[in-house]
Amino acid sequence: MNRQVTLAARPEGEPAESDFALVESEVPEPGAGEVLVRAHYLSVDPYQRGRMSEARSYAAPVQLGEVMTAQAVGEVVQSADPRFSPGDTVVGQLGWQEYAVARGSTLRKFDSQPETAALHVLGTTGFTAYFGLFDVGKPLPGETVVVSAAAGAVGQIVGQLAKIAGCRAVGIAGGPEKCAELKERFGFDAAVDYKADGFSAALKEACPDGVDVYFDNVGGGVSAAVVGRLNVGGRIAVCGQISMYNDPTGAPPMPGGFGFLIVFRARAEGFLVTDYLPRFPEAERRLSRWLADGALRYEETITEGIENAPKAFIGLFRGANRGKALVRV
Ligand code: NDP
């Protein structure tokens, strides 16, 4: 049998476990050009919150009763595509389920170790950090790069890439443990706890030369504090707005408005990692090299069991994860 997590209800505000259902179905058979994959790890990502809603976005919503969309890495068990053989490790948009049939053309073979890296540092979140920082943020040596949700999957990589680029890396994260880890394990120059009293003053102290690049993962009040410290010509790579994803009131994404763009002659630019698809091999090659050199590290928060995928997902909005959130199935 195949166990699947489906969307049971559209959440209002923070998602609840009751918005999901665990169902069983037959293991599907691959047709011509298709591959049957047994998932080993499922990805848990903030963008899935958007797919649970019917609001207009860059991708279609998951329908009620459908398997939750997600990336997964696993092993080919049956192949009707000559490019794949049983035993191959592949990554793709396979959903929160134990077995998935996918067209071979949508799968990526993954030969590096560990296989979980396909879902983070050598996959979507690593590529997001790479293109968002280098192509959108365009950091120069000696500049200050600030990243929010810095202890998460994208953020941890952004800060380390900023160091590789010769910048001062400043992370913003929730809680003293996450902040200490950013400095001690991931080499950030400074880390600021946005949940602590005196956040703005601490941010100012952490950025004595102002902020040249802001990699924004959260939006809201945290981002308003950062943009107040921009230097003239500052760049904001708008990657995510997680503080807004559960907000049904539609609070402004940038409290105080966008006047700062004029004051600092700054540029804010949104991007989607999928727009860089043709350049994924470049990102994978360079990130692999930095990993092998020891210049880049990563962290995983692994939840056991497909039945706990909803809990792991809800945890993203409460800061329960460090580094990449994954589910082992
Ligand atoms: P993370 O691993 O960073 O997990 C989310 C983290 O966000 C939590 O651990 C929590 O950390 C923080 N957070 C949650 N709620 C709030 C809040 N209200 N205010 C401030 N911080 C909060 O997830 P990812 O690395 O996968 O994603 C990070 C961001 O990047 C998301 O916004 C996501 O949507 C975006 N993204 C965008 C892509 C693109 O192509 N544009 C691609 C991939 C991701 P803490 O304990 O510090 O609060």
Side-chain angles (χ1 to χ4, degrees):
M1 292 303 282
N2 187 17
R3 293 197 301 163
Q4 308 171 304
V5 176
T6 60
L7 180 64
R10 298 203 184 281
E12 289 198 10
E14 187 174 290
E17 289 191 51
S18 56
D19 296 327
F20 302 92
L22 184 67
V23 302
E24 290 195 348
S25 64
E26 296 284 321
V27 174
E29 282 280 326
E34 291 182 336
V35 176
L36 175 65
V37 182
R38 167 73 168 94
H40 294 167
Y41 291 89
L42 309 177
S43 188
V44 179
D45 295 89
Y47 78 83
Q48 292 171 297
R49 177 65 182 83
R51 298 295 173 283
M52 297 174 80
S53 149
E54 283 186 304
R56 184 168 174 246
S57 186
Y58 55 86
V62 174
Q63 297 303 316
L64 294 177
E66 270 185 358
V67 174
M68 267 308 288
T69 189
Q71 285 209 338
V73 66
E75 169 188 355
V76 173
V77 288
Q78 215 180 322
S79 176
D81 179 322
R83 291 170 294 183
F84 297 93
S85 309
D88 285 349
T89 298
V90 291
V91 60
Q93 201 73 24
L94 301 173
W96 276 354
Q97 54 186 339
E98 291 171 331
Y99 290 90
V101 159
R103 295 211 62 78
S105 55
T106 65
L107 295 172
R108 174 166 75 110
K109 261 194 213 177
F110 190 74
D111 295 322
S112 307
Q113 285 294 329
E115 63 183 354
T116 50
L119 296 176
H120 50 85
V121 64
L122 300 180
T124 302
T125 55
F127 300 166
T128 301
Y130 179 90
F131 292 111
L133 182 66
F134 293 140
D135 278 62
V136 183
K138 295 186 170 45
L140 297 172
E143 289 190 330
T144 295
V145 173
V146 175
V147 55
S148 49
V154 174
Q156 279 185 347
I157 304 298
V158 169
Q160 295 177 83
L161 295 183
K163 290 305 295 175
I164 289 170
C167 298
R168 176 176 175 79
V170 178
I172 299 174
E177 292 83 11
K178 285 188 176 185
C179 289
E181 189 180 52
L182 287 175
K183 288 186 284 185
E184 288 155 19
R185 183 165 168 202
F186 293 99
F188 284 57
D189 296 288
V192 187
D193 178 1
Y194 74 92
K195 292 180 174 167
D197 289 341
F199 163 60
S200 288
L203 182 67
K204 183 177 178 186
E205 198 178 317
C207 305
D209 300 322
V211 176
D212 300 290
V213 177
Y214 174 41
F215 195 107
D216 184 9
N217 283 321
V218 307
V222 167
S223 294
V226 179
V227 302
R229 308 234 60 81
L230 279 176
N231 289 324
V232 168
R235 285 87 68 202
I236 303 166
V238 185
C239 175
Q241 301 278 282
I242 193 168
S243 76
M244 324 292 298
Y245 295 171
N246 293 326
D247 185 353
T249 65
M254 187 61 76
F258 290 95
F260 70 92
L261 291 174
I262 306 163
V263 174
F264 303 118
R265 280 81 88 203
R267 178 171 61 80
E269 184 179 338
F271 71 97
L272 273 182
V273 66
T274 44
D275 294 340
Y276 293 90
L277 197 69
R279 287 178 56 202
F280 281 9
E282 166 201 322
E284 186 175 357
R285 208 169 41 245
R286 297 191 75 197
L287 291 163
S288 297
R289 202 160 51 229
W290 287 319
L291 270 178
D293 290 352
L296 200 54
R297 295 170 170 205
Y298 60 82
E299 193 172 12
E300 300 171 335
T301 298
I302 297 178
T303 299
E304 295 292 337
I306 190 169
E307 65 280 8
N308 292 317
K311 197 177 289 167
F313 172 66
I314 292 163
L316 291 177
F317 301 98
R318 300 175 178 175
N321 64 306
R322 290 191 194 187
K324 178 68 192 146
L326 299 168
V327 172
R328 182 163 27 215
V329 294

